[in-house]
Short mmCIF file of all heavy atoms in Angstrom, two decimals:
data_model
loop_
_atom_site.label_atom_id
_atom_site.label_comp_id
_atom_site.label_asym_id
_atom_site.label_seq_id
_atom_site.Cartn_x
_atom_site.Cartn_y
_atom_site.Cartn_z
N TRP R 1 -3.74 20.14 -2.50
CA TRP R 1 -2.86 20.70 -3.48
C TRP R 1 -2.03 19.52 -4.07
O TRP R 1 -1.63 19.68 -5.32
CB TRP R 1 -1.76 21.50 -2.62
CG TRP R 1 -2.42 22.82 -2.25
CD1 TRP R 1 -2.79 23.15 -0.93
CD2 TRP R 1 -2.74 23.95 -3.03
NE1 TRP R 1 -3.28 24.43 -0.90
CE2 TRP R 1 -3.29 24.92 -2.14
CE3 TRP R 1 -2.65 24.20 -4.39
CZ2 TRP R 1 -3.69 26.13 -2.72
CZ3 TRP R 1 -3.14 25.50 -4.90
CH2 TRP R 1 -3.54 26.47 -4.12
N SER R 2 -2.01 18.31 -3.33
CA SER R 2 -1.21 17.30 -4.12
C SER R 2 -2.10 16.74 -5.21
O SER R 2 -1.41 16.42 -6.31
CB SER R 2 -0.97 16.13 -3.01
OG SER R 2 -2.21 15.74 -2.51
N ASN R 3 -3.26 16.61 -5.13
CA ASN R 3 -3.95 16.10 -6.27
C ASN R 3 -4.09 17.13 -7.40
O ASN R 3 -3.96 16.73 -8.57
CB ASN R 3 -5.57 15.86 -5.89
CG ASN R 3 -6.33 15.18 -6.79
OD1 ASN R 3 -5.98 14.04 -7.32
ND2 ASN R 3 -7.51 15.76 -7.18
N PHE R 4 -4.25 18.36 -7.05
CA PHE R 4 -4.17 19.44 -8.03
C PHE R 4 -2.99 19.62 -8.81
O PHE R 4 -2.84 19.64 -10.08
CB PHE R 4 -4.54 20.79 -7.32
CG PHE R 4 -4.73 21.89 -8.46
CD1 PHE R 4 -5.78 21.89 -9.26
CD2 PHE R 4 -3.91 22.95 -8.38
CE1 PHE R 4 -5.89 23.10 -10.25
CE2 PHE R 4 -3.97 24.00 -9.27
CZ PHE R 4 -5.07 24.00 -10.22
N GLY R 5 -1.83 19.47 -8.00
CA GLY R 5 -0.50 19.40 -8.63
C GLY R 5 -0.29 18.24 -9.56
O GLY R 5 0.34 18.41 -10.53
N ILE R 6 -0.64 17.13 -9.11
CA ILE R 6 -0.44 15.92 -9.92
C ILE R 6 -1.32 15.97 -11.23
O ILE R 6 -0.78 15.70 -12.31
CB ILE R 6 -0.91 14.66 -9.06
CG1 ILE R 6 0.20 14.34 -8.01
CG2 ILE R 6 -1.07 13.43 -10.05
CD1 ILE R 6 -0.16 13.18 -7.11
N ASP R 7 -2.49 16.41 -11.14
CA ASP R 7 -3.31 16.55 -12.39
C ASP R 7 -2.74 17.67 -13.39
O ASP R 7 -2.78 17.59 -14.47
CB ASP R 7 -4.72 17.06 -11.97
CG ASP R 7 -5.62 15.76 -11.68
OD1 ASP R 7 -5.46 14.76 -12.41
OD2 ASP R 7 -6.42 15.88 -10.88
N LEU R 8 -2.09 18.62 -12.61
CA LEU R 8 -1.39 19.67 -13.53
C LEU R 8 -0.12 19.12 -14.16
O LEU R 8 0.15 19.48 -15.38
CB LEU R 8 -1.05 20.86 -12.63
CG LEU R 8 -0.28 21.97 -13.23
CD1 LEU R 8 -1.06 22.76 -14.36
CD2 LEU R 8 0.23 23.03 -12.21
N ALA R 9 0.65 18.39 -13.52
CA ALA R 9 1.89 17.81 -14.03
C ALA R 9 1.76 16.63 -14.98
O ALA R 9 2.67 16.44 -15.82
CB ALA R 9 2.86 17.56 -12.89
N LEU R 10 0.73 15.72 -14.76
CA LEU R 10 0.71 14.55 -15.62
C LEU R 10 -0.16 14.74 -16.77
O LEU R 10 -1.11 15.42 -16.78
CB LEU R 10 0.13 13.39 -14.71
CG LEU R 10 0.91 13.14 -13.42
CD1 LEU R 10 0.37 11.88 -12.68
CD2 LEU R 10 2.34 12.91 -13.73
N GLY R 11 0.25 14.14 -17.87
CA GLY R 11 -0.43 14.45 -19.17
C GLY R 11 -1.49 13.32 -19.60
O GLY R 11 -1.84 12.62 -18.84
N SER R 12 -1.88 13.44 -20.83
CA SER R 12 -3.00 12.60 -21.31
C SER R 12 -2.64 11.17 -21.40
O SER R 12 -3.46 10.29 -21.48
CB SER R 12 -3.40 13.14 -22.59
OG SER R 12 -2.37 13.09 -23.61
N VAL R 13 -1.40 10.91 -21.40
CA VAL R 13 -0.93 9.50 -21.48
C VAL R 13 -1.37 8.59 -20.26
O VAL R 13 -1.53 7.37 -20.45
CB VAL R 13 0.61 9.34 -21.48
CG1 VAL R 13 1.17 9.93 -22.82
CG2 VAL R 13 1.21 9.96 -20.37
N ILE R 14 -1.77 9.25 -19.12
CA ILE R 14 -2.18 8.41 -18.11
C ILE R 14 -3.84 8.25 -18.10
O ILE R 14 -4.48 7.74 -17.10
CB ILE R 14 -1.83 9.04 -16.67
CG1 ILE R 14 -2.46 10.31 -16.38
CG2 ILE R 14 -0.27 9.10 -16.66
CD1 ILE R 14 -2.31 10.81 -14.92
N ASP R 15 -4.37 8.72 -19.15
CA ASP R 15 -5.88 8.73 -19.14
C ASP R 15 -6.38 7.50 -20.04
O ASP R 15 -7.61 7.33 -20.32
CB ASP R 15 -6.52 9.99 -19.78
CG ASP R 15 -6.49 11.11 -18.80
OD1 ASP R 15 -6.96 10.91 -17.68
OD2 ASP R 15 -5.88 12.10 -19.06
N ARG R 16 -5.30 6.55 -20.23
CA ARG R 16 -5.76 5.28 -20.89
C ARG R 16 -6.03 4.23 -19.92
O ARG R 16 -5.47 4.40 -18.71
CB ARG R 16 -4.74 4.81 -21.90
CG ARG R 16 -3.44 4.31 -21.20
CD ARG R 16 -2.59 3.66 -22.21
NE ARG R 16 -1.31 3.16 -21.69
CZ ARG R 16 -1.06 1.97 -21.05
NH1 ARG R 16 -2.20 1.17 -20.74
NH2 ARG R 16 0.08 1.72 -20.61
N ALA R 17 -6.94 3.26 -20.06
CA ALA R 17 -7.18 2.15 -19.20
C ALA R 17 -5.85 1.44 -18.94
O ALA R 17 -5.27 0.99 -19.83
CB ALA R 17 -8.23 1.31 -19.64
N ALA R 18 -5.59 1.14 -17.65
CA ALA R 18 -4.41 0.36 -17.26
C ALA R 18 -4.91 -1.06 -17.40
O ALA R 18 -5.90 -1.52 -17.18
CB ALA R 18 -3.94 0.66 -15.83
N THR R 19 -3.90 -1.92 -17.94
CA THR R 19 -4.21 -3.36 -17.87
C THR R 19 -4.24 -3.89 -16.64
O THR R 19 -3.72 -3.22 -15.60
CB THR R 19 -3.07 -3.99 -18.79
OG1 THR R 19 -1.79 -3.94 -18.02
CG2 THR R 19 -2.83 -3.46 -20.14
N PRO R 20 -4.76 -5.12 -16.39
CA PRO R 20 -4.92 -5.63 -15.00
C PRO R 20 -3.47 -5.65 -14.38
O PRO R 20 -3.33 -5.41 -13.21
CB PRO R 20 -5.47 -7.03 -15.27
CG PRO R 20 -6.25 -6.90 -16.39
CD PRO R 20 -5.59 -5.94 -17.35
N TYR R 21 -2.40 -6.07 -15.21
CA TYR R 21 -1.10 -6.25 -14.52
C TYR R 21 -0.66 -4.75 -14.25
O TYR R 21 0.14 -4.71 -13.22
CB TYR R 21 -0.20 -6.85 -15.55
CG TYR R 21 1.20 -7.17 -15.11
CD1 TYR R 21 1.48 -8.27 -14.38
CD2 TYR R 21 2.29 -6.21 -15.26
CE1 TYR R 21 2.77 -8.60 -13.84
CE2 TYR R 21 3.53 -6.54 -14.77
CZ TYR R 21 3.68 -7.71 -14.14
OH TYR R 21 5.01 -7.86 -13.60
N GLU R 22 -0.92 -3.81 -15.09
CA GLU R 22 -0.57 -2.44 -14.75
C GLU R 22 -1.00 -1.80 -13.50
O GLU R 22 -0.52 -0.84 -12.98
CB GLU R 22 -0.67 -1.56 -15.91
CG GLU R 22 0.27 -1.83 -17.13
CD GLU R 22 -0.13 -1.00 -18.47
OE1 GLU R 22 -1.34 -0.70 -18.52
OE2 GLU R 22 0.72 -0.89 -19.19
N HIS R 23 -2.23 -2.37 -13.12
CA HIS R 23 -2.74 -1.94 -11.81
C HIS R 23 -1.81 -2.25 -10.63
O HIS R 23 -1.90 -1.60 -9.67
CB HIS R 23 -4.11 -2.64 -11.46
CG HIS R 23 -5.35 -2.11 -12.35
ND1 HIS R 23 -5.39 -2.11 -13.67
CD2 HIS R 23 -6.48 -1.61 -11.83
CE1 HIS R 23 -6.51 -1.59 -13.99
NE2 HIS R 23 -7.12 -1.28 -12.92
N LEU R 24 -0.90 -3.11 -10.80
CA LEU R 24 0.00 -3.33 -9.75
C LEU R 24 1.03 -2.41 -9.40
O LEU R 24 1.99 -2.65 -8.68
CB LEU R 24 0.63 -4.79 -10.06
CG LEU R 24 -0.31 -5.89 -10.20
CD1 LEU R 24 0.52 -7.28 -10.58
CD2 LEU R 24 -1.23 -6.07 -9.27
N PHE R 25 0.94 -1.23 -10.01
CA PHE R 25 1.92 -0.14 -9.61
C PHE R 25 1.46 0.45 -8.26
O PHE R 25 2.30 1.14 -7.60
CB PHE R 25 2.01 0.97 -10.59
CG PHE R 25 0.95 1.93 -10.61
CD1 PHE R 25 1.02 3.18 -9.96
CD2 PHE R 25 -0.31 1.70 -11.34
CE1 PHE R 25 0.04 4.13 -9.90
CE2 PHE R 25 -1.19 2.70 -11.32
CZ PHE R 25 -1.08 3.92 -10.63
N LEU R 26 0.23 0.02 -7.75
CA LEU R 26 -0.17 0.39 -6.52
C LEU R 26 -0.09 -0.74 -5.41
O LEU R 26 -0.63 -1.87 -5.84
CB LEU R 26 -1.65 0.99 -6.45
CG LEU R 26 -1.95 2.28 -7.21
CD1 LEU R 26 -3.38 2.58 -7.25
CD2 LEU R 26 -1.14 3.39 -6.60
N PRO R 27 0.64 -0.53 -4.29
CA PRO R 27 0.76 -1.57 -3.29
C PRO R 27 -0.65 -2.29 -3.01
O PRO R 27 -0.47 -3.59 -2.75
CB PRO R 27 1.43 -0.93 -2.24
CG PRO R 27 2.16 0.19 -2.79
CD PRO R 27 1.21 0.65 -3.88
N ILE R 28 -1.74 -1.48 -2.82
CA ILE R 28 -2.93 -2.18 -2.47
C ILE R 28 -3.33 -3.08 -3.38
O ILE R 28 -4.05 -4.22 -3.07
CB ILE R 28 -3.95 -1.09 -2.09
CG1 ILE R 28 -5.13 -1.81 -1.32
CG2 ILE R 28 -4.37 -0.42 -3.28
CD1 ILE R 28 -4.85 -2.38 -0.06
N TYR R 29 -3.03 -2.89 -4.69
CA TYR R 29 -3.55 -3.86 -5.77
C TYR R 29 -2.58 -5.14 -5.68
O TYR R 29 -3.01 -6.17 -6.08
CB TYR R 29 -3.49 -3.07 -7.02
CG TYR R 29 -4.77 -2.37 -7.41
CD1 TYR R 29 -5.05 -1.14 -6.95
CD2 TYR R 29 -5.78 -3.13 -8.05
CE1 TYR R 29 -6.26 -0.51 -7.17
CE2 TYR R 29 -7.08 -2.47 -8.37
CZ TYR R 29 -7.24 -1.23 -7.95
OH TYR R 29 -8.41 -0.59 -8.14
N VAL R 30 -1.32 -4.96 -5.39
CA VAL R 30 -0.43 -6.12 -5.35
C VAL R 30 -1.03 -6.96 -4.15
O VAL R 30 -1.05 -8.20 -4.27
CB VAL R 30 1.01 -5.71 -5.00
CG1 VAL R 30 1.92 -6.96 -4.87
CG2 VAL R 30 1.58 -4.83 -6.18
N TYR R 31 -1.40 -6.26 -2.99
CA TYR R 31 -1.93 -7.15 -1.94
C TYR R 31 -3.16 -7.73 -2.23
O TYR R 31 -3.23 -9.02 -1.92
CB TYR R 31 -2.23 -6.09 -0.75
CG TYR R 31 -2.94 -6.68 0.43
CD1 TYR R 31 -2.39 -7.36 1.36
CD2 TYR R 31 -4.36 -6.44 0.48
CE1 TYR R 31 -3.12 -7.94 2.39
CE2 TYR R 31 -5.14 -6.97 1.54
CZ TYR R 31 -4.44 -7.71 2.53
OH TYR R 31 -5.13 -8.26 3.56
N GLU R 32 -4.12 -7.14 -2.94
CA GLU R 32 -5.29 -7.88 -3.44
C GLU R 32 -5.03 -8.93 -4.44
O GLU R 32 -5.69 -10.08 -4.32
CB GLU R 32 -6.32 -6.84 -3.93
CG GLU R 32 -6.87 -5.86 -2.80
CD GLU R 32 -7.66 -6.62 -1.74
OE1 GLU R 32 -8.23 -7.64 -1.99
OE2 GLU R 32 -7.70 -6.03 -0.65
N GLN R 33 -4.05 -8.76 -5.28
CA GLN R 33 -3.78 -9.70 -6.40
C GLN R 33 -3.27 -10.89 -5.81
O GLN R 33 -3.45 -11.99 -6.34
CB GLN R 33 -2.83 -9.03 -7.39
CG GLN R 33 -2.59 -9.95 -8.53
CD GLN R 33 -3.80 -10.23 -9.40
OE1 GLN R 33 -4.47 -9.45 -9.89
NE2 GLN R 33 -4.13 -11.51 -9.41
N MET R 34 -2.37 -10.86 -4.68
CA MET R 34 -1.79 -12.00 -4.23
C MET R 34 -2.80 -13.00 -3.67
O MET R 34 -2.61 -14.11 -3.64
CB MET R 34 -0.82 -11.69 -3.15
CG MET R 34 0.46 -10.83 -3.62
SD MET R 34 1.44 -11.82 -4.89
CE MET R 34 2.17 -13.09 -3.88
N LYS R 35 -3.98 -12.48 -3.26
CA LYS R 35 -5.16 -13.40 -2.85
C LYS R 35 -5.67 -14.07 -3.95
O LYS R 35 -6.33 -15.09 -3.74
CB LYS R 35 -6.17 -12.46 -2.14
CG LYS R 35 -5.78 -11.68 -0.91
CD LYS R 35 -7.01 -10.85 -0.49
CE LYS R 35 -6.59 -9.99 0.61
NZ LYS R 35 -7.79 -9.17 1.12
N HIS R 36 -5.41 -13.73 -5.24
CA HIS R 36 -5.89 -14.35 -6.37
C HIS R 36 -4.68 -14.84 -7.15
O HIS R 36 -4.90 -14.71 -8.49
CB HIS R 36 -6.85 -13.47 -7.08
CG HIS R 36 -7.94 -12.88 -6.31
ND1 HIS R 36 -7.96 -11.81 -5.52
CD2 HIS R 36 -9.22 -13.40 -6.11
CE1 HIS R 36 -9.12 -11.69 -4.81
NE2 HIS R 36 -9.87 -12.53 -5.25
N THR R 37 -3.73 -15.35 -6.67
CA THR R 37 -2.53 -15.74 -7.39
C THR R 37 -2.29 -17.24 -6.97
O THR R 37 -2.39 -17.52 -5.79
CB THR R 37 -1.28 -14.94 -7.04
OG1 THR R 37 -1.67 -13.51 -7.54
CG2 THR R 37 -0.15 -15.31 -7.84
N THR R 38 -1.90 -18.02 -7.85
CA THR R 38 -1.61 -19.45 -7.54
C THR R 38 -0.16 -19.74 -7.90
O THR R 38 0.39 -19.14 -8.79
CB THR R 38 -2.50 -20.45 -8.34
OG1 THR R 38 -2.41 -20.08 -9.83
CG2 THR R 38 -3.95 -20.17 -7.94
N LEU R 39 0.34 -20.80 -7.21
CA LEU R 39 1.60 -21.45 -7.50
C LEU R 39 1.40 -22.90 -7.60
O LEU R 39 0.87 -23.50 -6.57
CB LEU R 39 2.61 -21.11 -6.37
CG LEU R 39 3.97 -21.56 -6.58
CD1 LEU R 39 4.71 -20.95 -7.74
CD2 LEU R 39 4.91 -21.33 -5.30
N ASN R 40 1.77 -23.46 -8.78
CA ASN R 40 1.42 -24.89 -9.10
C ASN R 40 -0.09 -25.22 -8.86
O ASN R 40 -0.36 -26.28 -8.26
CB ASN R 40 2.27 -25.83 -8.06
CG ASN R 40 3.75 -25.66 -8.36
OD1 ASN R 40 4.20 -25.64 -9.55
ND2 ASN R 40 4.63 -25.47 -7.29
N GLY R 41 -0.89 -24.19 -9.24
CA GLY R 41 -2.37 -24.51 -8.94
C GLY R 41 -2.95 -24.27 -7.70
O GLY R 41 -4.14 -24.38 -7.58
#
């Protein structure tokens, strides 16, 4: 019901490809991205 309800409520604006940075709205992507992030090289 959660997936069906979300698809019912959310519009076509979310059917565009998210930029790599925009993937970070999900915690698991933040976690994975930190493995590929540098500070001072």
Side-chain angles (χ1 to χ4, degrees):
W1 289 108
S2 55
N3 188 58
F4 184 67
I6 286 174
D7 275 326
L8 178 64
L10 302 186
S12 60
V13 293
I14 71 166
D15 286 305
R16 71 168 176 84
T19 66
Y21 188 83
E22 288 172 336
H23 280 60
L24 302 183
F25 82 93
L26 289 177
I28 191 63
Y29 273 87
V30 177
Y31 170 78
E32 292 296 334
Q33 184 59 60
M34 292 303 287
K35 298 178 184 180
H36 302 86
T37 300
T38 58
L39 183 63
N40 295 317

